[in-house]
Amino acid sequence: MKKSIISRLNNWIIFVLMTIVVLTVVIASTILINFLRKEEVKRVDILVSALKFQQEVANPNLEIQALLLQIYSSNTTIPLIILDKNDQIIEHKNIPQDIENDSGKIVDLAKKMAKSYSPIEIEIVKGNKQVVFYDNSPLLNNLRYSPYILGFFILCYFLFSFWFFRTIKKTDEGYLWAGLAKETAHQIGTPLSSMIGWMEIMKLDDPDSEGVHEIEKDIERLRTISERFSKIGSIPELNDTDFNTTIKENYDYLKTRISRKINFGLHLPSYDISVPHNKILMSWVIENLVKNAVDAMKGEGSISMSVFERNKNILVEVQDNGSGMTKQQARNAFKPGYSTKKRGWGLGLSLAKRVVQEYHSGDIKIAQTEVGKGTTFRIMIKKG
């Protein structure tokens, strides 16, 4: 429990850090772009003021001339084009080198600049005027890609958030069902111990009674069920390797317990199959699939259980000709708490998936299903 709390706390820390990173990038980028834009507009205003002063003052002293030259020379990044009222080029600066000697392209660039920023007019003597066109610096233009970058970060953030909350939900559900399974094992243990004691007393009175032997088998079965539940939530040992024997024993047991109206068949390979597995838990998975098939057929039909090898994997298929599933039912079949039965907990297939995926590093899925024609469940485990 302590480990689970620490794990969830770490997830929340990662989530908070990702949120801070995304918000920081968005805010910092927005502030930076706005700041650079305002600063460049200010620089252009200062430059235009200097040009106006140069036009208005006939004979500025040397210090003023030096200051005006310094203001003009300090602009090394902002593209600038000055035209007269007849669109004749007076001056240009920081424009692309490939058009510096092409007056037509320079004028076209000036008109294009006017779409981004309103040109500034400078009144000079005798009704003449000059028009200053300018645009963003290359740095500010490169920052125009920042919205796409921010969009990418935000998309990644939302994807991470979706994964994060889904993981938290699955983790909480896993602990809930594991805790419920362990509590069930604990609750079964007390009356089971009492039943074992009474069984020993009954055997003293009539040790050869058929009823006593049958009850003893069921008590042993209850003990197996209790052990299965107790293993949920802990890491089981995969000591058993003879997979054919595990499947055959399950088949023999289930065949005597299900309705005689069900035609139950088993198809095993003729050679031995070595697969590291936990016999008790794997038997539980098989039993869950068979019982679901029996419920789907309402106690009458046929079930086929097959074991075969494919691409270094061992596959177990449980096929029935029952009622089948809709697409929605198939999608939700392994979700904790989902059940199509009125009295079902929706626990069996969920725990079966946990046993196969988490404890045996395999997979379990619905290989095929069709309403009115039946369902095929498939277990896949890597061959040892």
Side-chain angles (χ1 to χ4, degrees), residues 257-272:
R257 293 298 190 273
I258 62 178
S259 172
R260 292 183 179 180
K261 295 181 180 181
I262 292 178
N263 181 22
F264 194 10
L266 174 65
H267 306 280
L268 291 175
S270 57
Y271 52 90
D272 293 336

Side-chain angles (χ1 to χ4, degrees), residues 147-163:
Y148 302 102
I149 297 174
L150 289 176
F152 174 75
F153 272 105
I154 292 172
L155 176 62
C156 291
Y157 172 73
F158 280 119
L159 290 176
F160 171 80
S161 300
F162 174 76
W163 168 84

Side-chain angles (χ1 to χ4, degrees), residues 115-273:
K115 296 179 180 179
S116 300
Y117 294 96
S118 298
I120 302 173
E121 293 185 358
I122 302 176
E123 294 291 341
I124 57 178
V125 295
K126 297 181 181 179
N128 292 325
K129 65 178 181 179
Q130 296 178 352
V131 184
V132 180
F133 299 87
Y134 65 98
D135 201 356
N136 297 323
S137 65
L139 173 62
L140 197 57
N141 276 331
N142 288 333
L143 287 176
R144 69 180 182 272
Y145 297 109
S146 60
Y148 302 102
I149 297 174
L150 289 176
F152 174 75
F153 272 105
I154 292 172
L155 176 62
C156 291
Y157 172 73
F158 280 119
L159 290 176
F160 171 80
S161 300
F162 174 76
W163 168 84
F164 172 77
F165 285 113
R166 187 177 180 183
T167 301
I168 289 292
K169 182 181 178 181
K170 289 179 67 176
T171 301
D172 289 341
E173 288 175 348
Y175 287 126
L176 173 63
W177 295 120
L180 179 60
K182 285 184 173 293
E183 180 63 21
T184 302
H186 176 72
Q187 294 294 333
I188 291 176
T190 302
L192 183 60
S193 299
S194 178
M195 291 174 65
I196 293 173
W198 283 107
M199 177 56 58
E200 294 301 322
I201 295 174
M202 293 174 65
K203 288 170 69 175
L204 292 175
D205 294 336
D206 188 0
D208 298 325
S209 171
E210 182 179 354
V212 170
H213 285 302
E214 289 300 319
I215 294 175
E216 191 173 20
K217 288 180 182 178
D218 288 331
I219 289 176
E220 185 61 31
R221 190 62 181 176
L222 281 173
R223 182 185 295 169
T224 301
I225 292 172
S226 178
E227 188 173 352
R228 289 173 178 174
F229 277 106
S230 67
K231 288 182 180 294
I232 295 296
S234 58
I235 301 176
E237 296 181 357
L238 308 181
N239 295 328
D240 302 294
T241 56
D242 190 350
F243 202 65
N244 280 349
T245 300
T246 298
I247 300 299
K248 184 65 168 59
E249 288 179 356
N250 271 270
Y251 170 77
D252 291 338
Y253 172 79
L254 292 170
K255 189 175 181 179
T256 61
R257 293 298 190 273
I258 62 178
S259 172
R260 292 183 179 180
K261 295 181 180 181
I262 292 178
N263 181 22
F264 194 10
L266 174 65
H267 306 280
L268 291 175
S270 57
Y271 52 90
D272 293 336
I273 293 179

Side-chain angles (χ1 to χ4, degrees), residues 83-124:
L83 304 179
D84 64 13
K85 63 180 182 179
N86 298 317
D87 289 341
Q88 296 298 311
I89 301 171
I90 298 174
E91 184 63 66
H92 62 75
K93 194 173 185 183
N94 302 324
I95 64 174
Q97 292 182 355
D98 57 341
I99 67 169
E100 284 185 341
N101 298 320
D102 191 329
S103 59
K105 290 184 177 180
I106 293 176
V107 173
D108 290 339
L109 179 59
K111 302 302 181 182
K112 186 177 179 181
M113 288 178 175
K115 296 179 180 179
S116 300
Y117 294 96
S118 298
I120 302 173
E121 293 185 358
I122 302 176
E123 294 291 341
I124 57 178

Side-chain angles (χ1 to χ4, degrees), residues 75-76 95 106 129 298 351 369:
N75 174 30
T76 58
I95 64 174
I106 293 176
K129 65 178 181 179
K298 298 180 180 179
L351 291 178
T369 186

Side-chain angles (χ1 to χ4, degrees), residues 16 19 38 42 45 52 56 63 93 103 107 154 197 206 218 226 259 286 321 328 340-341 357:
V16 171
T19 303
K38 290 178 180 179
K42 288 180 181 179
D45 287 340
K52 286 181 177 180
E56 293 172 354
E63 292 181 356
K93 194 173 185 183
S103 59
V107 173
I154 292 172
D206 188 0
D218 288 331
S226 178
S259 172
I286 299 299
N321 63 349
Q328 182 178 3
T340 57
K341 294 176 287 187
Q357 289 188 340

Side-chain angles (χ1 to χ4, degrees), residues 293 296 318-325 366-370 373-377:
V318 178
Q319 183 178 10
D320 66 70
N321 63 349
S323 58
M325 301 183 188
I366 298 173
Q368 184 275 332
T369 186
E370 187 175 349
K373 293 188 177 182
T375 301
T376 300
F377 283 91

